[in-house]
Amino acid sequence: MRYIEPHGHMVSRTTDDYEAMITAGCRAVCEPAFWAGYDRSGPQGFHDYFCQLTDYEPKRAAKFQLPHFTWLCINPKESEDVKLAEDVIALIPQFLDRPNVLGIGEIGLNKNTRNELRVLEQHIDLAARHDQLILVHTPHLEDKFKGTRLILDALLADSRIKPERVIIDHVEEHTIQMVLDEGFWAGITLYPESKTTPPRAIDMFEIYGGQRVWLNSACDWGRSDPLAVPKTAIEMRRRGHSEETIDKLVYQNPIRFLGQNPRFDVR
């Protein structure tokens, strides 16, 4: 099996996870900027984090011949402090020419507040000005439907943004249709507690199709599995899906989206 892990927070994982992923057939891992488990006190902490994502982490993955790519932003969980967010966003352009940077992400909303929405709009403007791909985090559980609609409206309000260059991640049964209807890509996240289980993910794939869909684990500090994508592929086999269908979902689709940035090369 071959697959791409398009959303994994590898700074929170052990080196053994890299070894397990490459053994399972992973051809590349992509790491969106994330929350550190606590709110950082100033922009210097984010500068150091961006250095980690663009320098140290790709070197750690390279020990196992696993290409590592990243996305940069201030995560929605820390976006309530607008001044801090503005200072962090001002840092990002100096990192956009790093060889493993794919775009701006994971931006979005956490609690659907006015400040979070303001920072989201600033990230969208940054991506538009620098012609970057966008990866979007949608809120958890009861906030997801409202937050997803707010996010879609903010993206659609900027005429510079092309929906085919944006992936809306963590979709669930009640949000995937609106995402696809607006022309965006949809990410189905295999995370046991707050997102989607493999059976639910396969159900969504069978109902809505896989034209603009990918699977990811979003593995981080919580109860999560960096091998969730290949394990779900095995479950798809049990349901009778062909190897060609599985390969398109877990390998070819991420390449189609991520390959819009010429830096993404898994040869």
Side-chain angles (χ1 to χ4, degrees):
M1 183 189 303
R2 60 181 184 173
Y3 75 97
I4 305 294
E5 175 49 77
H7 186 149
H9 298 290
M10 302 310 295
V11 299
S12 67
R13 310 300 304 193
T14 68
T15 302
D16 289 349
D17 290 325
Y18 277 129
E19 186 173 22
M21 292 166 71
I22 199 72
T23 301
C26 189
R27 300 295 179 84
V29 60
C30 307
E31 179 160 7
F34 191 49
W35 187 53
Y38 61 91
D39 291 347
R40 281 160 279 215
S41 60
Q44 185 59 46
F46 285 89
H47 181 278
D48 295 344
Y49 177 49
F50 296 156
C51 289
Q52 181 182 15
L53 291 174
T54 59
D55 182 29
Y56 175 75
E57 206 59 36
K59 291 177 181 176
R60 190 162 72 109
K63 294 177 181 178
F64 300 95
Q65 290 75 55
L66 183 61
H68 175 282
F69 300 91
T70 193
W71 306 74
L72 302 177
C73 73
I74 177 170
N75 190 270
K77 289 178 72 69
E78 292 172 276
S79 293
E80 193 61 31
D81 185 337
V82 175
K83 178 59 169 64
L84 172 63
E86 290 174 346
D87 290 343
V88 174
I89 290 171
L91 293 173
I92 292 174
Q94 67 184 280
F95 291 93
L96 291 178
D97 62 351
R98 300 288 175 95
N100 73 326
V101 173
L102 295 174
I104 305 302
E106 58 183 297
I107 64 174
L109 299 174
N110 180 45
K111 295 297 184 182
N112 299 335
T113 69
R114 290 181 181 274
N115 284 350
E116 290 174 5
L117 186 58
R118 178 177 172 184
V119 173
L120 169 63
E121 292 168 345
Q122 291 176 1
H123 277 116
I124 293 171
D125 175 69
L126 175 69
R129 286 187 287 109
H130 292 272
D131 193 27
Q132 297 291 307
L133 298 177
I134 297 175
L135 189 155
V136 180
H137 165 94
T138 52
H140 302 294
L141 304 175
E142 67 273 8
D143 293 321
K144 184 172 291 291
F145 185 89
K146 177 182 178 181
T148 301
R149 187 67 258 172
L150 288 170
I151 289 165
L152 295 180
D153 289 345
L155 289 162
L156 293 168
D158 192 321
S159 62
R160 298 170 297 175
I161 299 299
K162 298 177 181 179
E164 66 271 18
R165 289 174 56 82
V166 180
I167 183 150
I168 310 296
D169 217 343
H170 316 323
V171 299
E172 294 183 22
E173 293 88 344
H174 58 308
T175 59
I176 185 172
Q177 187 69 70
M178 72 168 85
V179 169
L180 295 175
D181 284 349
E182 298 289 4
F184 297 97
W185 279 70
I188 301 176
T189 301
L190 306 160
Y191 199 101
E193 293 182 341
S194 61
K195 299 181 180 71
T196 305
T197 62
R200 286 175 57 201
I202 300 170
D203 287 346
M204 281 191 279
F205 168 74
E206 292 174 348
I207 294 169
Y208 298 102
Q211 183 61 29
R212 281 179 280 112
V213 174
W214 78 25
L215 301 180
N216 66 80
S217 73
C219 56
D220 58 16
W221 294 270
R223 294 186 59 211
S224 51
D225 185 357
L227 299 182
V229 172
K231 289 179 180 178
T232 302
I234 292 171
E235 182 62 28
M236 291 181 71
R237 286 177 182 164
R238 293 194 185 103
R239 289 205 191 183
H241 290 284
S242 68
E243 294 300 315
E244 180 180 2
T245 297
I246 295 169
D247 187 71
K248 180 179 178 181
L249 180 62
V250 304
Y251 183 73
Q252 296 179 45
N253 275 7
I255 288 178
R256 281 177 54 215
F257 179 82
L258 298 168
Q260 294 179 92
N261 186 322
R263 291 180 184 152
F264 188 78
D265 185 355
V266 296
R267 292 177 295 174

